[in-house]
Amino acid sequence: MKKLFILAACLFVSYSVQAQLQPKKMTPESSEIWDPVPRKVTPGPANASVSGFTAPSDAIVLFDGSNLNEWMASNGGDAPWMVSDGAMTVAPRKGGIQTKREFGDYQLHIEWRTPAEVKGNGQGRGNSGVFMQGIYELQVLDSYENPTYSNGQAGSIYKQSMPLVNVSKKPGEWQVYDVIYTAPRFNKDGLMLIPPYITVLHNGVLIQNHTQIQGTTAFVGRPVVKPHGRGPIMLQDHGNPTSFRNIWIREL
Ligand code: MG
């Protein structure tokens, strides 16, 4: 009887240890961080019709407002987005687009505008994204008085790193991201020697300061590291008609 009791106790302890070691199944909510909330900063006023700099002499112009020649559909074929009034706009649910060219390290300038007519809330309001090398998402969202999890608001590295401050303009106003990105380095066995790093200014204000990117920026689950080479700039279709303009890149 005593032996049986000891056996039962052992089984129970072993089961408890097992249960603790089992990782919990991740849900979308388990990688959300709601607190702290980045403090609000009002950007300096724009003084020209183009709110940021136009391309310097050594830049590759990816979009000058006239056509999508530098872009293709992310799932192949022609880029399905609309071009009008010097801007390109997501064609909701027709898919994301990406540059035909691929890049390693770069400085990127990109302007974006969430719809003036506010529809939806949280992640459903003006959601898009700029993906470094087609993998790592710098979130685009209408984060003007629109609460959501901090590591998913505009300027976040999605589900990884919240912006230092919230420099969001009102919906319908043009905003700017200036990005400095260095690609990860892998050895020939596919082990990551140096992670990707990103610095971002939002409307001229620093929001990501040499932030280490942990891996993929998934909706569910932790970041995953996968070896890769050069990659495109990808823009997300998240079902909202968000617009972009004045996109240029300088390879470093
Ligand atoms: Mg997004």
Side-chain angles (χ1 to χ4, degrees), residues 93-246:
R93 282 168 284 280
K94 288 194 174 165
I97 65 171
Q98 64 188 50
T99 53
K100 293 173 183 170
R101 301 183 207 229
E102 299 193 319
F103 304 98
D105 304 338
Y106 52 79
Q107 172 188 352
L108 173 71
H109 177 95
I110 185 164
E111 302 181 16
W112 53 276
R113 180 184 64 190
T114 61
E117 188 191 346
V118 171
K119 284 184 185 165
N121 54 45
Q123 293 289 311
R125 199 164 127 182
N127 195 333
S128 182
V130 183
F131 285 70
M132 308 303 136
Q133 301 195 294
I135 301 171
Y136 312 112
E137 183 179 9
L138 167 60
Q139 176 70 304
V140 168
L141 193 73
D142 174 0
S143 284
Y144 188 85
E145 296 172 0
N146 177 32
T148 186
Y149 41 97
S150 301
N151 60 346
Q153 71 175 60
S156 64
I157 306 307
Y158 186 69
K159 293 274 183 94
Q160 290 187 28
S161 174
M162 65 184 74
L164 293 168
V165 287
N166 182 350
V167 204
S168 295
K169 291 188 181 179
K170 290 179 180 163
E173 293 186 18
W174 282 103
Q175 312 201 43
V176 187
Y177 281 155
D178 284 291
V179 176
I180 295 139
Y181 173 80
T182 53
R185 266 62 172 174
F186 299 90
N187 72 8
K188 61 179 178 357
D189 299 323
L191 286 174
M192 190 164 67
L193 303 178
I194 305 174
Y197 286 97
I198 189 165
T199 295
V200 182
L201 287 92
H202 182 190
N203 299 324
V205 178
L206 184 69
I207 57 163
Q208 297 286 348
N209 185 8
H210 195 57
T211 300
Q212 181 179 329
I213 300 176
Q214 310 293 329
T216 50
T217 50
F219 177 51
V220 184
R222 295 189 180 82
V224 175
V225 174
K226 290 178 190 160
H228 63 86
R230 292 164 70 84
I233 305 296
M234 195 177 98
L235 304 178
Q236 185 183 48
D237 168 15
H238 202 283
N240 304 140
T242 294
S243 302
F244 295 87
R245 73 173 183 188
N246 189 19

